[in-house]
Amino acid sequence: MLSILIPVYNYNVLPLVNELVKQCNSVGIDFEILCQDDASNSQENILNQEINLLPNCSFFVNESNLGRGKNINSLAQKAKHDWLLILDCDTFPSQNDFIQKYIDIISNLKDNIIFGKIIYEDVKPENEKLLRWIYGNKRETVSILTSNLLIKKDIFLQYPFDDSITKYGYEDLLFFSVLRKNHFKISTIENPTFHINLETSIVFLNKTKTALENLVSLYRSNKISKEDSKIIKVFEFLKKLRLVEFSVSVFKKNKTEIEKNLLSQNPSLFLFDLYKLGYFCSIKK
């Protein structure tokens, strides 16, 4: 029936697995939960090893870092059931009928790819984590991601994550772009998970830079186009107007001041968008 795949990196995923086991047992389905740490060498794995003591659950550790996409690909190869539910390790079901809702979808056989949504706690976090929380609440809650995704196994194995992406960022964008180009529909339902592990603003900003470097690489290799990315679309527009060099100059002059805002107690998503565009232009140029 259902294989739940959880890529892990330096995180205690045992509470999530315990909740999923409880829900799967209450529904009475055949299931397995496969977790795989991506060579984080974390002390959290001492606790994660307890997953192997739970029925139908396994915890693996990669010998070398694969990146999130390849790690999920590896888990999918191990999976024995026809349906895959991909969950990030730092998510948690918002409702006690989380699994039941997905089983209802499977039973009705209406769709092959379903995203259940991501939500964030309403309580404002500490100041050093505000950028991640504000971005998540405003952008990720209205985006389609692979951090709470139900998909038929045969479809995933035919169109897995791109193995060339080994660092953080935009693997989801490319994954869904390939599916859409092959005429698959991605449906959305109200079955959210909480994203419960917020990075500090400085960590999130640095990960954003890494992600944009990935985006440039995907763009150069023609795997992603302006139809897939707003940043690329705006870049192409600036290029057409011969304003890329000017944009890079403005970005470099204002980079420090924008970063001060993004790391402050009142980060602006508008400035964050300008920062991402400026950084993309600078490394693309």
Side-chain angles (χ1 to χ4, degrees), residues 47 50 107 113 216 249:
L47 292 172
E50 295 183 25
S107 299
I113 309 170
V216 168
S249 176

Side-chain angles (χ1 to χ4, degrees), residues 15-252:
L16 171 60
V17 173
N18 280 326
E19 175 64 20
L20 294 170
V21 168
K22 182 177 72 174
Q23 290 201 23
C24 287
N25 284 334
S26 69
V27 176
I29 59 167
D30 290 332
F31 74 95
E32 64 177 351
I33 301 175
L34 307 179
C35 309
Q36 189 157 280
D37 179 83
D38 200 15
S40 70
N41 297 316
S42 171
Q43 291 297 312
E44 301 288 356
N45 287 345
I46 296 174
L47 292 172
N48 288 333
Q49 290 293 345
E50 295 183 25
I51 293 170
N52 290 312
L53 303 177
L54 299 173
N56 307 314
C57 297
S58 301
F59 177 74
F60 310 96
V61 178
N62 294 334
E63 294 183 1
S64 59
N65 185 269
L66 302 178
R68 179 176 177 272
K70 290 180 69 174
N71 196 22
I72 297 173
N73 289 348
S74 173
L75 285 168
Q77 293 288 343
K78 293 181 173 76
K80 66 181 182 181
H81 293 300
D82 293 336
W83 284 90
L84 308 178
L85 175 58
I86 303 170
L87 297 173
D88 276 352
C89 62
D90 57 357
T91 61
F92 202 86
S94 64
Q95 301 167 351
N96 58 17
D97 60 349
F98 174 74
I99 294 296
Q100 181 66 66
K101 285 185 177 180
Y102 276 133
I103 298 306
D104 291 342
I105 292 287
I106 291 173
S107 299
N108 291 330
L109 294 176
K110 289 181 179 179
D111 300 292
N112 291 321
I113 309 170
I114 302 97
F115 174 57
K117 295 189 178 181
I118 296 294
I119 57 176
Y120 284 74
E121 296 282 1
D122 292 331
V123 179
K124 196 174 183 179
E126 52 265 46
N127 291 336
E128 65 180 9
K129 297 180 178 180
L130 280 174
L131 179 62
R132 186 69 184 89
W133 180 73
I134 291 173
Y135 179 83
N137 264 307
K138 298 295 185 180
R139 300 290 172 79
E140 289 186 345
T141 55
V142 294
S143 301
I144 295 179
L145 306 168
T146 60
S147 47
N148 180 13
L149 188 76
L150 181 71
I151 183 170
K152 285 292 295 289
K153 179 183 174 182
D154 58 350
I155 295 175
F156 184 89
L157 293 180
Q158 188 175 0
Y159 303 100
F161 283 100
D162 190 307
D163 281 352
S164 68
I165 303 177
T166 57
K167 296 182 180 180
Y168 169 85
Y170 290 101
E171 67 270 14
D172 283 12
L173 182 68
L174 179 56
F175 178 76
F176 288 123
S177 173
V178 171
L179 288 176
R180 290 188 179 104
K181 287 174 182 175
N182 285 278
H183 311 294
F184 286 101
K185 176 187 175 184
I186 298 97
S187 301
T188 301
I189 65 169
E190 291 293 334
N191 194 25
T193 53
F194 283 111
H195 182 202
I196 57 178
N197 182 40
L198 295 178
E199 302 139 333
T200 63
S201 297
I202 185 64
V203 168
F204 181 54
L205 189 60
N206 287 330
K207 288 178 71 173
T208 298
K209 293 178 185 177
T210 300
L212 290 167
E213 291 160 11
N214 269 352
L215 185 61
V216 168
S217 177
L218 294 171
Y219 178 46
R220 285 175 175 162
S221 60
N222 295 317
K223 292 181 178 180
I224 290 291
S225 68
K226 65 180 181 180
E227 284 74 29
D228 303 307
S229 165
K230 291 180 180 179
I231 291 178
I232 294 176
K233 184 177 290 187
V234 176
F235 172 81
E236 290 283 4
F237 179 71
L238 293 174
K239 184 178 178 182
K240 189 174 181 179
L241 297 179
R242 298 185 179 181
L243 290 174
V244 173
E245 289 193 15
F246 173 76
S247 299
V248 171
S249 176
V250 171
F251 168 72
K252 289 181 177 179

